[in-house]
Amino acid sequence: MPTYKLSYFDVRAYAEPARILFHLAGVPFDDHRFPHGDGTWEKLKDKTPFGQVPVLYVDGFEIPQSAAIIRYLANKFGYAGKTPEEQAWADAIVDQFKDFMSLFREFKLAQKAGKSDVEIAKVASEVAIPARDSYFEIITNLLEKSKSGFLVGDGLTFADIVVVESLTNLEKVHFFDASEHPKLAALREKIYAIPAIKSWVDIRPDTIY
Amino acid sequence: MPTYKLSYFDVRAYAEPARILFHLAGVPFDDHRFPHGDGTWEKLKDKTPFGQVPVLYVDGFEIPQSAAIIRYLANKFGYAGKTPEEQAWADAIVDQFKDFMSLFREFKLAQKAGKSDVEIAKVASEVAIPARDSYFEIITNLLEKSKSGFLVGDGLTFADIVVVESLTNLEKVHFFDASEHPKLAALREKIYAIPAIKSWVDIRPDTIY
């Protein structure tokens, strides 16, 4: 078995779906985490392929970009969809999440930039909330059509994991209320009830994002 | 062979890499294009999976999201990379392009919103140009390390097509000057010289993006 190392900040965010896939598959990996501001990232940055983390090292071979990492692991471990069409749908859902995040990012940047409450509220109501509503509607529609309760086909794919983690992250910043979205909440319960996922989620570091 | 239909606006943009893959593979497809503003899109929107185009129909089965479509076709036609690791790299490059576009989008939105020249110039200098420079640097570094002249491994992948089309689109809006980026220009020449691509690029509709 190859030696895996996943390098990222000490948060869930863009690395967590990959971590969940390792735990799900029961494959050991070096969960290399570093805090913001201790200098590790500044030293590592120039050595990464794109100046970004997460980076997955597979016997030293580097793979950048979170979605590429997750898809790679999902293919290895059997969670990428059972047919080319299922795989395309899992991909499309993850891309939809990425599109949402590129809009939601504007809200996070406004917060980070220390903008006024009025300005932050404006970005929230004009950009972040409509983007979230559209994303939730797409996922909810898929779940309404699903016979299995999973987003794609009749089994777990990396798309379920990415979406569920996005809900948990949005909940932490008060952009997801499980009681208002029963279909989304049910998906999260279903995924977090899978024993190999549950045992990790129960003990993972409790970070804000 | 399945019946393929690709629905999109009458522009290159997010559908063009898929069109190129069809031409490259010599696989016939219905290149369904519609102009902005003639009512076709307004009628089609609610019937698409995510309220967006492009959508690829494979014997009627729908696949949304441009990167998912391209990856699906690249897998079918043999341009997705020769190993799981090559595929992950092609994926990562396309994701990097998407990340760039999510920043570059702010510039396009400022233009669309009819903001003042000063405001547009501010978004260009603070967001769009740094994002472009970072994207170009990443791609140029990959090409400097490449022995084949392709971005991944020793052959053409969908990542080359996505990157090359991004250069052509950026050139049209004066954000890419081939004379300043010889490595990027050489990649584009190499890809556009492939006979099955050349014969399409030579005759394709000349749209602004």
Side-chain angles (χ1 to χ4, degrees):
Chain A
M1 193 183 289
T3 302
Y4 294 103
K5 175 179 170 181
L6 182 69
S7 287
Y8 196 54
F9 294 103
D10 185 21
V11 291
R12 295 185 312 281
Y14 283 106
E16 193 63 16
R19 294 188 188 117
I20 290 178
L21 281 166
F22 279 117
H23 287 282
L24 181 64
V27 171
F29 72 110
D30 177 1
D31 189 3
H32 174 226
R33 295 161 178 257
F34 41 86
H36 287 86
D38 79 335
T40 306
W41 170 233
E42 290 66 24
K43 271 184 244 164
L44 182 62
K45 191 175 184 344
D46 285 345
K47 291 181 196 154
T48 66
F50 293 169
Q52 295 166 357
V53 278
V55 172
L56 176 68
Y57 302 87
V58 185
D59 286 335
F61 180 87
E62 302 164 322
I63 300 174
Q65 274 287 358
S66 59
I69 290 169
I70 299 162
R71 188 176 300 110
Y72 174 83
L73 294 175
N75 268 304
K76 288 249 158 176
F77 301 157
Y79 298 101
K82 295 188 181 90
T83 62
E85 288 70 29
E86 284 191 12
Q87 178 141 11
W89 265 90
D91 284 345
I93 292 164
V94 171
D95 278 331
Q96 203 66 30
F97 161 71
K98 278 192 68 134
D99 285 355
F100 157 66
M101 281 303 289
S102 79
L103 293 168
F104 194 73
R105 183 186 151 275
E106 290 183 32
F107 169 76
K108 293 198 298 179
L109 284 181
Q111 280 189 319
K112 227 177 175 176
K115 296 215 171 177
S116 71
D117 286 355
V118 173
E119 284 173 297
I120 290 171
K122 191 168 182 279
V123 175
S125 66
E126 291 181 5
V127 182
I129 291 175
R132 176 206 62 185
D133 290 348
S134 164
Y135 171 60
F136 280 2
E137 189 185 343
I138 285 170
I139 303 299
T140 303
N141 285 345
L142 293 176
L143 290 170
E144 276 166 5
K145 285 179 203 152
S146 168
K147 288 173 192 156
S148 65
F150 294 106
L151 284 169
V152 180
D154 62 2
L156 179 71
T157 64
F158 64 109
D160 295 298
I161 295 171
V162 167
V163 167
V164 158
E165 283 305 296
S166 77
L167 299 178
T168 293
N169 290 335
L170 288 168
E171 190 174 51
K172 291 253 186 192
V173 289
H174 313 293
F175 273 85
F176 171 61
D177 180 340
S179 68
E180 288 175 10
H181 300 281
K183 289 273 174 195
L184 300 178
L187 176 69
R188 185 167 63 167
E189 272 182 40
K190 184 180 176 79
I191 305 305
Y192 282 176
I194 295 168
I197 294 181
K198 181 173 168 28
S199 60
W200 165 242
V201 168
D202 282 351
I203 61 153
R204 67 183 175 185
D206 183 25
T207 53
I208 180 70
Y209 59 93
Chain B
M1 195 185 287
T3 301
Y4 294 103
K5 176 178 167 182
L6 182 68
S7 287
Y8 196 55
F9 294 103
D10 186 20
V11 292
R12 295 183 312 279
Y14 283 107
E16 193 62 16
R19 295 190 188 116
I20 289 177
L21 281 166
F22 279 118
H23 287 283
L24 181 64
V27 172
F29 72 110
D30 178 1
D31 188 3
H32 175 225
R33 292 161 179 257
F34 42 86
H36 286 87
D38 78 336
T40 306
W41 169 233
E42 290 67 23
K43 272 183 243 163
L44 181 62
K45 191 176 185 341
D46 284 346
K47 291 181 196 155
T48 64
F50 292 170
Q52 294 166 358
V53 277
V55 174
L56 176 68
Y57 302 88
V58 184
D59 287 336
F61 179 87
E62 301 163 323
I63 300 174
Q65 274 286 358
S66 59
I69 291 169
I70 299 162
R71 188 176 298 110
Y72 175 82
L73 293 176
N75 269 304
K76 287 249 159 176
F77 302 156
Y79 298 101
K82 296 188 180 89
T83 63
E85 287 70 28
E86 283 191 12
Q87 179 140 12
W89 265 90
D91 284 346
I93 292 165
V94 171
D95 278 331
Q96 203 65 30
F97 161 71
K98 279 191 68 137
D99 285 355
F100 157 66
M101 281 304 288
S102 79
L103 293 169
F104 194 71
R105 183 187 151 273
E106 289 183 34
F107 169 76
K108 295 197 297 179
L109 285 180
Q111 280 188 318
K112 229 177 173 174
K115 297 216 169 173
S116 71
D117 286 355
V118 173
E119 284 173 298
I120 291 171
K122 190 168 182 280
V123 176
S125 67
E126 289 181 5
V127 183
I129 291 175
R132 177 206 61 182
D133 290 348
S134 165
Y135 171 59
F136 281 1
E137 189 184 344
I138 285 169
I139 303 299
T140 301
N141 285 344
L142 292 177
L143 291 171
E144 275 166 5
K145 284 181 205 150
S146 168
K147 286 174 195 156
S148 65
F150 295 106
L151 284 168
V152 181
D154 61 1
L156 179 71
T157 66
F158 63 110
D160 296 297
I161 296 172
V162 165
V163 167
V164 159
E165 284 305 296
S166 77
L167 299 178
T168 293
N169 291 334
L170 289 168
E171 189 174 53
K172 292 254 187 190
V173 291
H174 312 294
F175 272 85
F176 171 61
D177 180 340
S179 68
E180 288 175 8
H181 300 282
K183 288 272 174 195
L184 301 178
L187 177 69
R188 184 166 66 167
E189 271 181 43
K190 183 181 176 79
I191 304 306
Y192 282 176
I194 294 167
I197 295 183
K198 180 172 170 31
S199 60
W200 165 242
V201 168
D202 282 350
I203 61 154
R204 67 184 176 184
D206 183 24
T207 53
I208 180 71
Y209 59 92

